[in-house]
Amino acid sequence: MPWLSIRRRITFNMYQRIIHRSFVFFLLIIIIILLGFYLLLPDNNISIQEQNQSCISKLNNFKEFQQNNYNLSSLKPIIFIGGMPRSGTTLMRAILDSHPLVRCGEETRVIPRILSMRTAWKKSDIEWNRLMAGGMTEEILDSAVRAFVYEILFHHSQSADILCDKDPFVLKYASYISSIFPNSKFLFIIRDARAVIYSVMTRKVTITGFSLTDYRLNLKLWNKGIKIMFDQCKEIGKNKCLMIYYEQLVLQPKKSIENILKFLNLTWVDDVLHHEQLIGKKISLSKTEHSSDQVIKPINLEALTKWIGHIPNDVKQDLDILAPMLKQLGYDTKSDVPSYGNADQLVLDNMNRLKQNADFWNAKAKLYARQLSNSTNLFNN
């Protein structure tokens, strides 16, 4: 019927208008949303560029901060204690640890390794050229080594005013360390080779290359090692490297320590003469180190001449050939019983204390007796 056709047409037209209006409304909503996002964005490309420049500026500031931090680390005063094993390096660090401004702590064992690795790179032309071809430079490598060493020392020394490292073999690298830490100072501990070798063998100290039975071999290795350290110490000069004789340190501790503190620009404190009172408090000891059970005692003469009477006659006759550095360092190589000097009253009093309270000190030593093996790499080329 006609009226039904008209009604359908009207209904269809209304439906079309609703759809159109809905579409327009939906489109308007989308435009408003997009406009809102647009208003939240930077007004133009210049502001985006400014933001990029701001990011770059912050990155450059961070890099500058990093560089300044590295520069500050290189200028911070650091003490390095070294020498041949069994020469008194642990005693020396315990004495310095008694000072309120210094903390050396136990051997890190990692610092000599990173220094050895860097030296190995430099010695090998092939390896060094590969590093350079790979985009490395000597400046980058030295900066990385300096950052590594400083990070270890900073945390290991518990942020002490004066950082200190007691790793005996660091003296092999004194010249290089001095170049990356220009304000560093070195304490080179020297001891009679006969006493060193006797101690290594009787206390069964495992050092790569050394023997627990062969005096001749050990004296040759001692001579090689001490010469490297002696030459390094001489190269950086007496203002940066102080040679300390173990014998004088234990015979005349007050005089010796006064000279050491003066060299390090540290003020005198009486605690440095009584390090044993701070063991377990300010001073911590490692039970993996061979000397811990000895340095818990006050400065004494117990180990000074233990070696006398134990060196084979044929070795004594060839001493100047096996270890010529011994004579160069001023030791009497001819006498069977060399004299190192006289002990001061402080040490004599300490010896009396040890004798009168032997059970107490022996029990204390057992608490710090070495419990783990401690192999040490030495002079690997």
Side-chain angles (χ1 to χ4, degrees):
M1 297 179 66
W3 63 272
L4 287 175
S5 176
I6 294 171
R7 185 178 178 183
R8 286 173 183 168
R9 192 178 301 113
I10 293 171
T11 302
F12 178 77
N13 290 338
M14 289 177 62
Y15 180 72
Q16 286 288 87
R17 284 196 295 272
I18 291 171
I19 293 175
H20 178 72
R21 288 172 182 172
S22 298
F23 175 77
V24 171
F25 179 78
F26 180 72
L27 183 61
L28 183 61
I29 294 296
I30 292 176
I31 291 171
I32 292 172
I33 292 173
L34 291 176
L35 181 61
F37 278 115
Y38 179 77
L39 292 174
L40 291 175
L41 290 173
D43 294 336
N44 49 45
N45 290 334
I46 296 176
S47 63
I48 295 175
Q49 291 174 358
E50 288 175 350
Q51 285 190 350
N52 289 338
Q53 289 174 354
S54 176
C55 291
I56 293 171
S57 177
K58 289 178 181 179
L59 181 60
N60 289 334
N61 288 339
F62 177 72
K63 288 181 178 179
E64 184 178 351
F65 169 78
Q66 264 191 327
Q67 187 61 48
N68 289 336
N69 203 30
Y70 289 155
N71 291 338
L72 287 174
S73 73
S74 69
L75 296 175
K76 193 172 180 67
I78 302 175
I79 302 167
F80 291 93
I81 302 172
M84 291 298 292
R86 310 304 302 158
S87 292
T89 56
T90 303
L91 174 62
M92 185 70 255
R93 79 90 168 169
I95 291 170
L96 284 186
D97 275 345
S98 303
H99 198 285
L101 298 181
V102 182
R103 186 185 187 272
C104 303
E106 309 86 342
E107 294 179 15
T108 70
R109 298 182 61 81
V110 296
I111 290 179
R113 282 168 169 76
I114 193 69
L115 295 172
S116 175
M117 186 182 300
R118 194 273 181 191
T119 301
W121 291 337
K122 186 69 172 178
K123 281 184 176 180
S124 171
D125 290 338
I126 294 176
E127 184 63 27
W128 193 254
N129 289 335
R130 284 176 176 171
L131 288 170
M132 297 304 106
M136 293 294 98
T137 66
E138 191 163 6
E139 183 181 6
I140 291 174
L141 294 173
D142 290 349
S143 178
V145 172
R146 178 172 58 245
F148 179 93
V149 173
Y150 179 77
E151 187 76 3
I152 293 293
L153 289 182
F154 182 79
H155 293 288
H156 187 250
S157 297
Q158 300 176 357
S159 307
D161 294 76
I162 307 295
L163 304 184
C164 175
D165 175 53
K166 193 280 283 192
D167 279 303
F169 300 136
V170 294
L171 256 294
K172 288 175 58 183
Y173 315 101
S175 180
Y176 174 68
I177 296 173
S178 183
S179 71
I180 60 175
F181 293 107
N183 288 337
S184 58
K185 289 197 173 183
F186 300 81
L187 301 180
F188 178 21
I189 315 301
I190 300 168
R191 188 183 183 188
D192 192 325
R194 292 163 290 189
V196 170
I197 301 307
Y198 175 77
S199 180
V200 167
M201 294 170 66
T202 56
R203 291 180 68 86
K204 302 186 185 306
V205 180
T206 51
I207 307 172
T208 302
F210 277 67
S211 166
L212 297 182
T213 58
D214 192 337
Y215 271 95
R216 287 179 171 273
L217 173 63
N218 292 343
L219 283 166
K220 289 178 180 178
L221 289 174
W222 175 90
N223 193 79
K224 178 182 178 182
I226 205 74
K227 188 177 189 312
I228 292 173
M229 297 181 187
F230 179 82
D231 291 343
Q232 286 284 294
C233 190
K234 283 290 187 181
E235 182 177 336
I236 61 178
K238 61 182 180 180
N239 291 330
K240 294 182 68 68
C241 184
L242 180 65
M243 296 185 186
I244 302 165
Y245 285 79
Y246 168 82
E247 293 80 12
Q248 301 311 308
L249 180 62
V250 299
L251 284 167
Q252 302 285 332
K254 190 173 190 300
K255 182 180 178 181
S256 297
I257 298 171
E258 281 178 344
N259 290 334
I260 293 167
L261 295 185
K262 183 179 179 181
F263 171 76
L264 297 173
N265 298 316
L266 291 172
T267 56
W268 174 267
V269 291
D270 289 337
D271 284 346
V272 295
L273 292 175
H274 307 285
H275 72 276
E276 74 282 358
Q277 297 176 7
L278 298 175
I279 300 292
K281 300 173 184 177
K282 184 179 185 294
I283 302 175
S284 58
L285 297 174
S286 168
K287 292 185 179 181
T288 67
E289 293 183 28
H290 287 271
S291 301
S292 295
D293 61 342
Q294 293 177 299
V295 299
I296 57 97
K297 300 178 180 180
I299 299 172
N300 63 80
L301 309 176
E302 287 182 343
L304 188 63
T305 55
K306 277 188 175 182
W307 64 269
I308 292 177
H310 296 282
I311 310 298
N313 289 329
D314 64 308
V315 173
K316 287 190 290 186
Q317 292 173 1
D318 295 338
L319 197 57
D320 290 340
I321 298 173
L322 296 170
M325 283 297 298
L326 195 55
K327 188 174 182 179
Q328 184 175 339
L329 291 170
Y331 287 97
D332 179 2
T333 59
K334 300 303 179 185
S335 174
D336 289 339
V337 187
S339 174
Y340 299 122
N342 299 318
D344 67 14
Q345 191 58 48
L346 171 70
V347 178
L348 296 177
D349 291 342
N350 286 347
M351 293 298 292
N352 287 331
R353 287 170 56 202
L354 292 174
K355 185 177 180 180
Q356 293 169 6
N357 301 282
D359 291 342
F360 168 79
W361 289 109
N362 289 336
K364 202 167 185 179
K366 287 182 180 179
L367 294 175
Y368 288 93
R370 179 172 168 268
Q371 296 180 1
L372 299 173
S373 60
N374 183 23
S375 297
T376 309
N377 250 344
L378 179 64
F379 309 120
N380 288 336
N381 294 321

